[in-house]
Amino acid sequence: MKKLVFSTGAGISAESGIRTFRDSNGLWEEYPVMDVASHTGYLKNPELIHKFYNGLRKKLVDAQPNSAHYAIRDLESMFDVRVITQNVDDLHERAGVSNVLHLHGELMKVRSTKHEERVYTLTPDNLETSLDTRDEYGDPVRPHIVFFEEPVPNFSEGMKLAQQADIFVVIGTSLVVYPAASLIDCVRPGTPIFYIDPNPSNISRPNLTIIKKTASEGMKELTEILKTMQ
Ligand code: OAD
């Protein structure tokens, strides 16, 4: 089976009602990104960080995967599908996708502030955390999110996957946040690349096809193309 590697961003979850970051009405318009998504912000006001991610979690548990998430899952019958996502939501997993690599962490998880390998999954009926939340060892926890100014531990694995891709697909990302935005440059020369986004960033690469559509519409079109490329 050919290896079909997706690199997804906030746009794939937009039709599930999850706000993107940089579109008009995006999250970073309402909340200063450095307050709620940077290491400095976390050190300055961790209480705000807990509140912010509690709010995002509540929205996430009410959201459902959309047809683009399911279309990726359906391609598993034809391809060895891998998803590298910048998203912290769990909609790829809830759509049944088997292999998902999160570059920027996972909203439904928290980790110990003392032992970062101790990661815990929250449940929909117990998704709020605060400065007082303790893990089973009595240590405080923080959101399992990669804040700006922090390393991206899964990036090297993402790079490997991009290098192995026979076909590489980018969906719903403004391609401004690094290192995630550089995955497209890790593909082997000659690899077909597709980029689905209604408002794509202005990039050009050899073998790049831009599908200027929403994720759900774009995935319908791409699925037909991929059927001819198995
Ligand atoms: P952005 O908000 O920067 O970009 C969203 C992209 O989705 C834009 O290119 C939109 O045109 C596109 N889009 C909007 N609606 C869409 C739809 N229905 N279908 C497909 N595409 C659509 O989001 P990201 O590029 O994912 O990091 O942002 C990257 C990172 O910046 C995030 O992971 C987050 C943020 O700060 C952290 O929080 C660590």
Side-chain angles (χ1 to χ4, degrees):
M1 270 187 177
K2 284 189 179 165
K3 201 166 217 163
L4 173 59
V5 179
F6 287 87
S7 170
T8 65
I12 194 168
S13 297
E15 291 164 273
S16 295
I18 307 276
R19 281 165 79 180
T20 62
F21 300 97
R22 295 176 184 79
D23 289 304
S24 66
N25 198 32
L27 268 182
W28 296 160
E29 234 173 57
E30 190 175 343
Y31 304 93
V33 51
M34 292 309 278
D35 288 354
V36 297
S38 76
H39 191 73
T40 308
Y42 172 59
L43 295 179
K44 207 167 74 186
N45 191 350
E47 199 176 352
L48 175 70
I49 297 266
H50 278 282
K51 268 196 196 151
F52 178 72
Y53 291 97
N54 286 341
L56 292 188
R57 274 181 213 122
K58 278 187 211 151
K59 296 217 170 76
L60 175 57
V61 295
D62 289 336
Q64 303 301 331
N66 64 57
S67 64
H69 296 103
Y70 289 114
I72 293 178
R73 176 208 58 192
D74 291 345
L75 286 164
E76 289 186 359
S77 61
M78 286 183 261
F79 294 93
D80 175 8
V81 173
R82 306 301 166 110
V83 173
I84 311 163
T85 187
Q86 294 173 80
N87 298 346
V88 297
D89 68 49
D90 56 1
L91 297 179
H92 284 302
E93 287 91 340
R94 279 159 57 191
V97 172
S98 308
N99 289 293
V100 185
L101 180 74
H102 286 271
L103 289 183
H104 293 163
E106 294 174 70
L107 191 50
M108 292 305 286
K109 293 183 178 174
V110 291
R111 68 172 182 263
S112 163
T113 57
K114 301 267 168 69
H115 299 272
E116 55 177 40
E117 71 285 0
R118 291 180 185 159
V119 177
Y120 307 95
T121 303
L122 301 169
T123 55
D125 53 351
N126 185 23
L127 47 67
E128 291 205 13
T129 61
S130 72
L131 290 178
D132 296 327
T133 307
R134 296 287 179 271
D135 71 3
E136 58 195 291
Y137 302 94
D139 295 327
V141 299
R142 56 161 275 181
H144 189 48
I145 299 285
V146 174
F147 296 136
F148 285 103
E149 307 162 334
E150 292 182 340
V152 183
N154 284 342
F155 183 67
S156 56
E157 182 63 26
M159 251 170 59
K160 262 190 237 157
L161 288 173
Q163 281 160 359
Q164 293 165 359
D166 296 304
I167 303 166
F168 190 74
V169 183
V170 180
I171 307 179
T173 169
S174 56
L175 291 170
V176 299
V177 174
Y178 282 80
S182 64
L183 286 173
I184 194 171
D185 293 315
C186 299
V187 302
R188 287 168 293 161
T191 307
I193 305 174
F194 297 89
Y195 177 22
I196 299 172
D197 196 305
N199 186 19
S201 103
N202 184 17
I203 57 165
S204 85
R205 296 286 187 288
N207 310 305
L208 170 67
T209 306
I210 294 182
I211 300 177
K212 200 170 172 215
K213 290 188 172 169
T214 61
S216 60
E217 286 305 308
M219 276 305 297
K220 275 189 211 150
E221 186 173 324
L222 179 68
T223 298
E224 292 310 309
I225 298 171
L226 291 175
K227 283 179 186 166
T228 68
M229 296 175 75
Q230 287 179 67

